[in-house]
Structures are given as structure tokens and as C-alpha cells.
Amino acid sequence: MRWVFYSLLVVNLVYLGWQLVSDAVWGGGSSAIIERADAGEAADAPALRLLSEAPQPDRALRPDVPARPGLCPVVGPWSARGEAERARVQLEAAGLAATIRAVTVQKDHLNWVYLPPYDSRERALEVLSELQSRGVDSFIVKAGEDANAISLGYFTSEESAEGLRVKMHNAGYPAFVRETSRPVTEYWLYMPERADGAAALEDFLVGNPAVSRDRVACRTPARQNG
């Protein structure tokens, strides 16, 4: 905006010089016109203001951006709550506060080879008798959504499970492979985000080589009622 200011200033100086020359040549009578022009221009023209002079918004009034939840250290797992409780007491004695939380995970991933459930138990028993007469190790599933299905075996290797499936299919049995697992409850010790005592935690891990340390998203503490 400075060039606008200087342009107006130059125009006014040129105009003033021209008026002075006109007065010298034609005589008075133009001073009043100049005064009125200046007065009107001062009244109507917007005041010039540099961008740096404009009022700036108060940054202190801007709302703070909410901070993202941090990561909290966790130690574990233990298969029994009593073992986790003893570890918690040990950490507390070293000056580290921790809470026990139970976590359910799926473990023992196996590949199950099976024949789908039959319409009746009698039919399943007939097929089971055929398989056992051929030396195929098998049994009938007695309950659940797979009741009356025939289990042909569990394998940790996908290749072994697929090999048996193909063998049974070639023998005329519609075998399938399904990955299965079982739920296991583990117990972990959760610590605050900014827990002090890193050296104490390292000593604890050295003394408990079967457990490990990780970091997970911090949880909001539950509100106390009453």
C-alpha cells in the first residue's frame, strides 16, 4: 500500500504546483478552490494505513488444539492374575505405580481338517466307521455349531493340513480346512504415560526375563462415583 500513498502525494504536489503557477499567471481566486478540494479529499478519501499497522488478532484468544493421547508403557504378560499382582507389588516397591488389566487374545492358531456336519448323528457314525476302517484317525464333534461334523486332525503346518484335505477329497470325502484358535486371558501391568523410574523398570525386566515391555494408547482413568 505504500506505492498508493506516494502516488497520491506526487499527484497532490503536481496539482499544487499547477495551481501556484495559475495564481501567478491569472491572479488569485483559486486558493479557495484548492482549500475546498483539499478539505473534500480529506473528508472523503479513506485513511492510508500500512499492513503492518493493522490490528492483529489476539493469538491468546485462539482455542488450544486438543493434544493427542500419548502412549503408556505396559509390561507382561502373565497367565494368572496372582502372578501379575506379585509383579505389581514388586514394581510398587521400586516406586513405579501400575494397574492390572486382563486382555483376551487368540492363541494356538491351528489348521483344522474336517468333514462338514451331517444331517443326523446316525449318518455321522456311519461315515466315522468307514474312516476308521481305513485307518483314518477321526472323531465326531458332539456339540456346538459343528455338531455331527467329523474331525480329521489339527495341524500347525498349513501344508500338512492341505495335504490331508486333498487326500481325503481324492478318496471321496468332502474335507475342508479351517484356521482355528482358542481365547486366552493374559494379564498386563499398565503404567502412567510419564512414569518416572526408567532405571527401576529396566532392573525389573532384567529380573523377569519371561515378560516384555510395550507401549499402548493411554486410557482415560475411570471416574470415581460418590
Side-chain angles (χ1 to χ4, degrees), residues 15-208:
Y15 183 78
L16 179 60
W18 179 80
Q19 289 294 338
L20 292 176
V21 172
S22 299
D23 289 345
V25 176
W26 302 100
S30 61
S31 59
I33 297 175
I34 295 174
E35 291 175 0
R36 286 195 298 272
D38 292 341
E41 185 175 348
D44 298 334
L48 296 177
R49 178 178 294 173
L50 299 179
L51 185 60
S52 59
E53 298 175 354
Q56 299 296 323
D58 190 353
R59 296 175 181 261
L61 298 179
R62 296 177 59 185
D64 293 333
V65 178
R68 295 182 179 181
L71 296 177
C72 289
V74 295
V75 177
W78 287 270
S79 58
R81 189 178 188 90
E83 297 175 353
E85 176 62 24
R86 286 191 290 271
R88 188 196 66 79
V89 172
Q90 183 180 351
L91 284 175
E92 185 177 7
L96 294 173
T99 57
I100 301 175
R101 288 178 184 163
V103 179
T104 301
V105 297
Q106 297 293 329
K107 282 194 171 183
D108 296 339
H109 291 276
L110 298 172
N111 298 281
W112 180 36
V113 185
Y114 66 100
L115 301 181
Y118 288 92
D119 295 336
S120 65
R121 184 171 180 79
E122 289 73 17
R123 177 56 183 159
L125 287 171
E126 292 177 3
V127 175
L128 179 65
S129 178
E130 293 176 7
L131 294 173
Q132 292 180 346
S133 66
R134 296 186 178 187
V136 178
D137 187 13
S138 54
F139 65 89
I140 295 177
V141 179
K142 297 181 179 179
E145 61 180 7
D146 293 314
N148 295 329
I150 297 180
S151 176
L152 301 175
Y154 292 87
F155 300 86
T156 57
S157 169
E158 295 182 7
E159 290 77 8
S160 299
E162 181 61 19
L164 178 58
R165 186 199 69 79
V166 172
K167 179 180 178 180
M168 298 303 299
H169 187 271
N170 293 337
Y173 297 95
F176 292 87
V177 177
R178 182 198 303 174
E179 183 177 304
T180 184
S181 60
R182 63 186 180 91
V184 175
T185 301
E186 296 180 342
Y187 297 92
W188 289 78
L189 295 180
Y190 284 66
M191 287 173 280
E193 178 180 2
R194 297 182 179 180
D196 296 328
L201 181 57
E202 293 295 337
D203 292 341
F204 173 83
L205 293 174
V206 171
N208 296 269

